[in-house]
């Protein structure tokens, strides 16, 4: 069912132990989690499920993202938050008993929390969507077993609160150039488009690598793309907020590629680093997540339960947090 590379990647994720997290020290309103949902394609290689956020959302409108959102209660664990939000956004059931017969979701690990500009501690949770032994007969070969997920389960992930659900090759988030059997990204004029673009910027009181990946838009096939027209970005929508507020939402039908960038791209790069035990072809931040910075902000009274009017996470705030915590 799985290639050797994919099997080894899953094994590394199962044994990964993250460092102590600040996530549980955050107030309820500052806790969030996202789901990195992996599944095998027909070749036994891992792919990841992504979404295009609805244009009507206040934050990160019209941007690519991992399924996820804020915690509901202090008792809710990150994986429970991620599964609940994935159900609300893409229709992934919260328990295996509610999945189609023969499928299950395995919780592999959690990664260090990331700091969003909206002052949320975002905990990435990695899971594997796979057919159980009962989903295919003994006579089925491994390719058929793998395609059981790609062809039978992924089409069931109907977008609810998002504009679209799509997938991307997981290993490619360590590559500077497009690799794989499928055609690579193209521009609006049909010419080849770069898979990866990156640049260094000042953020988190340090140099921060901004990754940009351009996912080829799949054919209008239910096995590759589920689209919710009512949530699609339109040219009349305001400029989105988020990690990179510069690009305005583009009318969904005209998008030749889906741009994955900012915190979402960084989370995927870090998850792939853990899974495949290798570093990217491109420059990147060596540390995982932002646990230290989240801890510093909590110590100086930021990330409080109630968001104050006009409160904005800036480089000056981060510098002050570093300065004040160094005195403690």
């Amino acid at each position: 069912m799985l290639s050797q590379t994919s099997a080894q990647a899953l094994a590394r994720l199962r044994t990964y132990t993250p460092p102590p997290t600040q996530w549980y020290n955050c107030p309820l309103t500052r806790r969030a989690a996202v789901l990195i949902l992996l599944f095998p394609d027909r070749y036994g290689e891992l792919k990841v499920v992504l979404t295009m956020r609805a244009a009507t959302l206040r934050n990160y409108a019209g941007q690519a993202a991992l399924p996820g959102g804020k915690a509901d209660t202090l008792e809710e664990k990150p994986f429970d938050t991620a599964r609940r939000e994935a159900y609300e956004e893409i229709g992934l059931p919260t328990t295996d008993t509610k999945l189609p017969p023969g499928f299950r979701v395995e919780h592999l690990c959690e990664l260090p929390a990331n700091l969003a500009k909206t002052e949320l501690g975002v905990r990435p949770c990695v899971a594997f969507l796979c057919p159980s032994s009962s989903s295919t007969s003994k006579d089925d070969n491994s390719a058929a077993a793998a395609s059981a997920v790609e062809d039978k389960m992924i089409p069931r992930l109907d977008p609810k609160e998002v504009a679209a659900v799509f997938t991307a090759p997981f290993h490619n988030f360590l590559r500077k150039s497009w690799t794989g059997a499928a055609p690579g990204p193209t521009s609006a004029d049909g010419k080849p488009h770069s898979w990866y673009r990156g640049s260094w910027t000042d953020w988190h009181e340090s140099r921060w690598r901004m990754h940009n990946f351009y996912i080829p838009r799949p054919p209008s096939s239910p096995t590759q793309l589920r689209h919710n027209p009512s949530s699609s970005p339109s040219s009349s929508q305001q400029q989105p907020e988020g990690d990179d507020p510069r690009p305005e939402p583009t009318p969904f039908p005209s998008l030749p590629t889906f741009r994955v960038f900012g915190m979402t791209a960084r989370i995927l790069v870090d998850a792939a680093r853990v899974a495949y035990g290798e570093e990217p072809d491109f420059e990147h931040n060596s540390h995982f997540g932002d646990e230290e910075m989240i801890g510093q902000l909590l110590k100086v009274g930021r990330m409080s339960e109630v968001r104050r009017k006009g409160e904005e996470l800036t480089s000056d705030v981060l510098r002050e947090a570093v300065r004040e915590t160094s005195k403690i």
Side-chain angles (χ1 to χ4, degrees):
M1 175 180 171
L2 291 170
S3 70
Q4 183 177 6
T5 300
S6 295
Q8 292 172 343
L10 293 177
R12 291 188 190 94
L13 290 167
R14 289 187 184 101
T15 58
Y16 174 73
T17 302
T21 182
Q22 294 288 344
W23 196 85
Y24 293 99
N25 295 327
C26 295
L28 175 61
T29 57
R30 303 294 184 171
R31 296 183 186 184
V34 294
L35 185 66
I36 303 174
L37 184 63
L38 305 176
F39 69 94
D41 67 12
R42 64 187 66 251
Y43 306 107
E45 302 301 334
L46 296 177
K47 298 181 79 172
V48 61
V49 177
L50 291 150
T51 71
M52 292 292 287
R53 288 173 62 81
T56 53
L57 298 177
R58 186 170 63 87
N59 293 322
Y60 310 99
Q63 297 182 12
L66 292 159
K70 291 184 178 180
D72 265 359
T73 68
L74 288 172
E75 292 71 35
E76 192 174 53
K77 295 181 179 180
F79 185 62
D80 297 328
T81 298
R83 284 294 300 268
R84 176 179 51 76
E85 288 288 331
Y87 170 70
E88 294 174 4
E89 292 181 3
I90 64 175
L92 179 72
T94 54
T95 62
D96 287 356
T97 57
K98 295 181 180 180
L99 286 168
F103 292 92
R104 62 187 179 89
V105 173
E106 179 188 357
H107 182 194
L108 299 174
C109 68
E110 296 177 7
L111 301 178
N114 285 254
L115 175 65
K117 274 192 174 181
T118 48
E119 292 192 63
L120 293 175
V122 182
R123 185 77 160 172
C125 302
V126 190
F128 180 49
L129 173 62
C130 58
S132 66
S133 58
S134 62
S135 64
T136 54
S137 69
K138 294 181 180 179
D139 295 330
D140 287 338
N141 59 32
S142 59
S147 66
V149 179
E150 186 169 28
D151 296 339
K152 298 178 183 178
M153 182 61 215
I154 297 302
R156 296 174 181 262
L157 301 183
D158 295 320
K160 299 182 183 301
E161 297 182 358
V162 300
V165 178
F166 63 103
T167 65
F170 186 43
H171 204 173
N172 275 26
F173 289 100
L174 296 176
R175 297 290 174 256
K176 196 171 185 177
S177 301
W178 174 261
T179 59
T186 58
S187 301
D189 58 5
K191 295 181 180 179
H193 192 288
S194 58
W195 156 251
Y196 174 82
R197 293 177 182 174
S199 61
W200 288 98
T201 184
D202 290 318
W203 175 238
H204 292 186
E205 187 50 17
S206 64
R207 297 294 286 166
W208 198 83
R209 185 70 174 179
M210 171 66 79
H211 303 297
N212 298 270
F213 296 97
Y214 297 87
I215 314 297
R217 182 190 175 104
S220 297
S221 164
T223 65
Q224 294 177 288
L225 175 68
R226 295 307 298 262
H227 177 204
N228 181 359
S230 64
S231 301
S232 298
S234 66
S235 56
S236 62
Q237 291 295 327
Q238 294 183 346
Q239 190 170 330
E241 301 175 13
D243 285 335
D244 184 354
R246 289 168 292 178
E248 295 186 3
T250 305
F252 188 90
S254 66
L255 289 173
T257 61
F258 299 138
R259 177 177 174 240
V260 177
F261 63 100
M263 185 178 67
T264 297
R266 184 193 178 196
I267 288 173
L268 287 168
V269 169
D270 284 350
R273 289 168 64 195
V274 172
Y276 294 100
E278 58 185 84
E279 295 302 303
D281 295 341
F282 42 81
E283 294 181 314
H284 63 287
N285 293 101
S286 60
H287 66 283
F288 292 83
D290 304 303
E291 295 286 2
E292 182 178 359
M293 181 56 69
I294 293 172
Q296 290 170 332
L297 289 170
L298 289 169
K299 286 180 180 178
V300 298
R302 295 289 299 204
M303 302 181 71
S304 58
E305 182 76 35
V306 179
R307 189 178 185 87
R308 301 179 182 89
K309 187 176 181 180
E311 190 176 61
E312 182 180 0
L313 189 58
T314 64
S315 296
D316 289 339
V317 171
L318 296 172
R319 277 193 290 269
E320 179 66 21
V322 172
R323 185 163 49 249
E324 289 300 317
T325 53
S326 65
K327 298 177 183 178
I328 300 174

